[in-house]
Amino acid sequence: MDMRFTPEQEAWRHEVRAFLKQEMTPEFEVELESQDYTTSTTSVPFSKKLAARGWLGMSWPRKYGGQDRPFMDQAILSEEMGYFRAPTAAHSFGLNQVGTAMLYHGTEEQKLNWLPKITKQQVVFSQAFTEPHAGSDSAAIETRAIQDGDDYVLNGQKIFCTSFHRSQMMYVTTRTDPNVPKHKGISLFVVPVDAPGVSSSRGLTIDHGRENTVFLDNVRVPATNMVGRPNQGWNVMMTSLNMERTGLEPPARNKRDLEDLIEYAKTHHRHGRPIIEDPFLRYRLAECAIEIE
């Protein structure tokens, strides 16, 4: 037993592992790998199984569909999901980026409406932040949102919207005030992907995945779909991106990949001896293990 964890936490890890060993069968992994990268990481049926167990948003308050469980339980779950290469994209963006932003910045009405839908896997979200001239500089967005009565009208273009074609709702950054410093005039909206005026084109990535360019042409969105206060979207966006950068799953997935690589090096030969006996390779594998840890 790893002494960093309590007996209760260790029992929880074993419960999660038992579930994943049952679900992540070799046949299911082959099925996922036969699809393009984006689709293979987005399994709504798998996410619904987690939702049925109350494992989505488990650290959230019960009134919003959570379980009021410790953050460490959530961390253990995320780590195991990564290690078993579970397809989590159907719920992870809505849960981590959108849901967390709503918890901190949303209205009570938004929390009661959207958060239970996220924890029950009743909606899949996609991200629409990046633009042709606004990549790493997230504040350089040009997509406009102009208020018209109780609505906002959105016009602009978003790129690299990876899961757009698998989602029902987009999480969109817009410029609501062009006359202030660029970090000060941003607002975020939840937008239905099938709203009138939303269209997309498909692109392929080098790893056989899919990304989408999304066009917003006079898309009308209720003001109640704004997450956070008008022109305060930079703070909301940073809350979302901070959650995206926590990154518990990738190191665990990398650990599994390294274990597979080591097993391959033990069982395959080059020049009449196991690959693992190559001193340079052993050094590189040790470096990888240290970096992952």
Side-chain angles (χ1 to χ4, degrees):
M1 176 184 294
D2 190 328
M3 297 309 293
R4 292 175 298 172
F5 298 103
T6 66
E8 292 77 15
Q9 291 165 348
E10 201 62 40
W12 165 235
R13 186 184 293 278
H14 285 299
E15 180 182 348
V16 174
R17 283 183 180 175
F19 167 80
L20 289 170
K21 287 178 180 178
Q22 174 181 310
E23 297 295 329
M24 296 302 298
T25 62
E27 294 77 16
F28 185 44
E29 289 197 53
V30 169
E31 177 187 337
L32 293 174
E33 290 175 359
S34 68
Q35 306 173 60
D36 69 74
Y37 177 77
T38 305
T39 306
S40 70
T41 60
T42 308
S43 172
V44 173
F46 178 82
S47 293
K48 282 187 175 294
K49 291 180 180 180
L50 300 180
R53 290 171 169 261
W55 289 3
L56 300 185
M58 60 170 54
S59 62
W60 292 1
R62 290 185 182 276
K63 65 184 289 189
Y64 302 135
Q67 302 289 326
D68 276 318
R69 290 181 61 166
F71 284 113
M72 183 59 78
D73 286 359
Q74 180 66 60
I76 290 171
L77 176 66
S78 297
E79 193 172 61
E80 293 301 318
M81 289 290 163
Y83 184 81
F84 280 87
R85 304 186 183 114
T88 59
H91 66 264
S92 60
F93 180 74
L95 190 70
N96 296 328
Q97 281 91 297
V98 182
T100 301
M102 284 187 179
L103 276 172
Y104 281 95
H105 304 284
T107 64
E108 187 66 11
E109 181 182 4
Q110 288 174 335
K111 295 175 186 178
L112 292 172
N113 178 39
W114 287 108
L115 298 185
K117 292 178 181 177
I118 292 172
T119 60
K120 294 175 183 177
Q121 189 53 45
Q122 294 175 343
V123 59
V124 177
F125 279 91
S126 58
Q127 179 174 294
F129 285 9
T130 308
E131 298 183 5
H133 303 290
S136 297
D137 184 2
S138 300
I141 59 170
E142 298 176 353
T143 295
R144 290 284 278 118
I146 299 175
Q147 189 164 14
D148 181 22
D150 293 334
D151 297 336
Y152 279 82
V153 179
L154 279 56
N155 283 279
Q157 177 183 348
K158 299 291 183 178
I159 60 175
F160 304 135
C161 303
T162 309
S163 298
F164 171 82
H165 62 294
R166 301 280 291 178
S167 66
Q168 293 87 47
M169 305 296 297
M170 288 186 295
Y171 187 45
V172 184
T173 52
T174 69
R175 184 157 302 285
T176 42
D177 188 348
N179 301 313
V180 296
K182 62 183 182 180
H183 292 81
K184 301 294 185 180
I186 296 172
S187 300
L188 275 82
F189 291 89
V190 171
V191 181
V193 300
D194 60 356
V198 176
S199 61
S200 67
S201 64
R202 173 181 179 175
L204 297 177
T205 65
I206 197 170
D207 61 351
H208 307 290
R210 171 175 173 169
E211 56 86 16
N212 303 278
T213 297
V214 176
F215 305 93
L216 305 168
D217 183 11
N218 291 320
V219 178
R220 187 170 289 271
V221 180
T224 52
N225 280 31
M226 180 187 291
V227 181
R229 294 180 296 165
N231 302 319
Q232 300 299 309
W234 179 257
N235 294 332
V236 180
M237 183 163 47
M238 290 303 100
T239 298
S240 295
L241 293 178
N242 282 339
M243 280 301 300
E244 183 179 12
R245 299 295 186 265
T246 54
L248 284 172
E249 289 189 22
R253 185 182 293 259
N254 292 342
K255 181 179 180 182
R256 175 75 176 277
D257 292 342
L258 178 62
E259 290 175 359
D260 288 350
L261 183 59
I262 291 172
E263 183 61 27
Y264 178 91
K266 287 179 177 179
T267 55
H268 288 70
H269 292 68
R270 180 178 298 160
H271 306 307
R273 62 178 187 173
I275 300 173
I276 195 69
E277 293 183 7
D278 184 315
F280 179 72
L281 177 64
R282 294 171 67 88
Y283 175 78
R284 291 304 304 274
L285 291 174
E287 277 191 324
C288 289
I290 292 169
E291 188 170 349
I292 291 170
E293 183 65 24

